[in-house]
Structures are given as structure tokens and as C-alpha cells.
Amino acid sequence: KRAYLSSLTGILVNRNTAATFFGLALLLNASIVEASFGKIGFRRVSSAILAGARLSPAMQTQLWFAAFHVVLLFSTLTALMLTKSRGGVVAALIAACCLLLLKAFSRFQKQEKSGLAPAKERRWIRILIGASILLAIVIIFFSLGQRVLLRSQIQSAFEDGRFCVLPGIVAAVWDSLPLGAGLSSFPTVFPAYRDATCGIAGVWDRAHNVYLEGLLTLGIVFPLSALLFSLWLSAVFIIGIRRRRSARYAGELGIASLVLIAAHSAIDFSLQISGLAIYFAAMLAPIVTLSLRPPGKKRTLKEQSTRHSMTA
């Protein structure tokens, strides 16, 4: 390891890319924990413990599975803070808040549809509880991220080199529109627009902004394709939230993941790193499948044939 010696980067080189990776893992583990706790049924567990009865093997397996992912949840949260990436931590915080709001809205909508909508007083209590949980998450994020705050105080965000060269990147984008300068052309085009007052150390091979670099290299094709891709995925995840019940967390996780990637891409190039892009694609594949799967069709063809033969 030669770069970012004071930051946790895992198997990646850049701490901002590592922060995006750990942020996605944080959202994934949080969704699995919530789904696992929803399947356990704590009333049955507490009643069995108070009665001195032994839990069934299936219930014990579910409890161990949920506990394992709780450990993973706090591990990824700690790893995210140790990256000391300001943009990555803020983007993950925004995505986590989005995930909580989606889950709260889905839970409230489910209660209204079932006729169990809470009274006005209980509704305010739920709002206060949700706000308290949100505040607790913010406190945990920034108490664990003291090094992130210290780095923000020592080095102002506007003293960062990426903000110094931003006007030059914008000028290059305007000159390359509407067709763009060509794929992977940023390292050769940008030096002509680089401001000497920002320093001449280092080679800028990426714009630290996925949207600006996409406009520079691909022109108007990039925003159209990115918008189409984002809208299609958002529609798929909304369908999953509205259609699925036990797997509703898949659509919520998908929207929160898109928010994380979209927010961090505005100040960094994490999505342009192959390792993270492949991980994000592998993460989206089962989420899209769960969102588009019709509810109630869990039996395999073998189980259905067996059931039909038994009925006959």
C-alpha cells in the first residue's frame, strides 16, 4: 500500500472508492437485518423464553443469521468511518436516511391498507420515535467519524484541488459539446484547460465528477443514457416496493443504493473504478430480480409437479 496510508481502503486503492463500497455494504446489511427481524417474530421468541420453552431449530437459525448480520452492519459502519472520506460518509448518510424514510413510509402504508392505521396521538409518537432513531444514526455516524470531521476542519472543502480545477473542467465540457471529445479522452484534453494556480503536481486522469467527465467524453449521449438507466431502475424498484411483501426491502435497497451512487458521483469517480462497478452490478442483479418477481410464486417446477401428482 503506497497511497492513503492513514485511511482504511480495504482491497481498493482510493479511500473514496472504498467509502462507496462500504456504504453499499452498509445498506445491504441494514436491509438484511430488517428483513431478518421481520421474519423472526419477537413476541413468539419472548413468550417462549418467559415460558421456559426451548426455541425451535428453525427459530435459532434465524436468530443466529440476524445476529451475524448485525455484527456485519456495525463492522461496515466502522470501516466506512475509517476511510475518512468526507464525500463517501455524507453520501452514505444521505442514502441511509433515504432507506429509513422508505421503510417508514412502506410500514405506514401497509398499516393503512390493513385498516390498522394508528390514531393521531400514536402517529405523532411514531414520528418522534423515527426522528429519534434518525438522530441517533447521525450521532453514531459523526461520533465514529471524528477523523473525518478533523480532516474537514484542517482542510476546507474549497481548498481541495478538485474544486480548484472545476472551472477548467466546465470550460472543457462546453468546448466539447454536443458530441464530446471521445471516450477516455479526459487525460489528453484537460491539460490544455488546467489552471496553473492550482498547482502542477500530479496527473489528472479523471475529473472527480462522473457527470462532467461523461459530458466531456461522450457529449449529450451520456446524460440521456444515464437518465434512461436511472429512470428504468427506479421504476423497477418502485414496482418491487408496491408489489412485493416479504421482499419489499429489495426495492427500498435499490433506491437507496442509487441515491448513494448518484450523490457520490458528483464529487468523485468511484463508479468509474472497475472493481466497484462490477460489485454494484452484481448487487443490482438480485435486487432487480426480486423486484420484478411476481408475489407468491416461490415454488419450483419440481415442487409444483410433486404437489399436482399428490393432488391427483
Side-chain angles (χ1 to χ4, degrees), residues 25-281:
L26 177 70
L27 297 176
L28 179 60
N29 283 299
S31 299
I32 294 177
V33 167
E34 189 266 343
S36 301
F37 284 159
K39 294 179 180 179
I40 290 176
F42 285 100
R43 291 184 178 179
R44 290 184 300 170
V45 175
S46 59
S47 300
I49 294 176
L50 292 176
R54 187 175 181 179
L55 299 177
S56 63
M59 186 66 66
Q60 293 180 11
T61 302
Q62 291 180 352
L63 285 174
W64 279 111
F65 181 80
F68 175 69
H69 280 280
V70 167
V71 174
L72 291 182
L73 175 65
F74 283 97
S75 299
T76 51
L77 175 61
T78 304
L80 174 65
M81 296 305 160
L82 291 178
T83 61
K84 296 194 292 184
S85 171
R86 295 170 297 184
V89 171
V90 173
L93 176 61
I94 294 173
C97 293
C98 177
L99 183 63
L100 285 177
L101 290 176
L102 286 172
K103 290 185 178 299
F105 179 76
S106 298
R107 183 68 60 85
F108 181 74
Q109 193 177 29
K110 182 179 179 181
Q111 290 179 345
E112 280 193 337
K113 287 183 178 180
S114 60
L116 299 175
K120 194 172 183 179
E121 294 79 7
R122 293 180 61 188
R123 186 177 304 177
W124 278 106
I125 293 176
R126 290 176 180 271
I127 293 175
L128 291 175
I129 293 175
S132 302
I133 294 175
L134 187 62
L135 180 61
I137 291 177
V138 173
I139 293 175
I140 291 174
F141 262 77
F142 286 98
S143 61
L144 291 176
Q146 292 180 359
R147 290 189 175 184
V148 178
L149 295 177
L150 179 61
R151 178 170 170 252
S152 300
Q153 294 173 359
I154 295 176
Q155 181 184 8
S156 174
F158 294 99
E159 294 177 359
D160 198 320
R162 74 188 74 180
F163 296 101
C164 183
V165 301
L166 186 60
I169 297 176
V170 174
V173 169
W174 279 111
D175 290 343
S176 64
L177 289 177
L179 299 179
L183 191 63
S184 302
S185 61
F186 180 83
T188 57
V189 174
F190 175 68
Y193 296 88
R194 183 171 177 175
D195 190 355
T197 59
C198 299
I200 59 174
V203 177
W204 286 76
D205 55 354
R206 288 183 175 87
H208 282 269
N209 188 310
V210 176
Y211 308 113
L212 289 180
E213 186 168 347
L215 282 170
L216 174 62
T217 56
L218 299 176
I220 60 174
V221 175
F222 174 78
L224 293 177
S225 58
L227 183 62
L228 179 63
F229 175 76
S230 302
L231 290 178
W232 180 81
L233 278 179
S234 300
V236 169
F237 297 145
I238 291 174
I239 290 173
I241 293 175
R242 298 183 61 180
R243 180 185 297 179
R244 302 306 304 267
R245 294 182 180 179
S246 59
R248 184 176 297 172
Y249 66 91
E252 299 165 348
L253 173 60
I255 293 179
S257 301
L258 281 180
V259 170
L260 171 58
I261 292 294
H264 203 192
S265 294
I267 55 175
D268 220 291
F269 52 85
S270 298
L271 197 58
Q272 296 175 251
I273 304 301
S274 301
L276 182 70
I278 294 172
Y279 174 77
F280 184 52

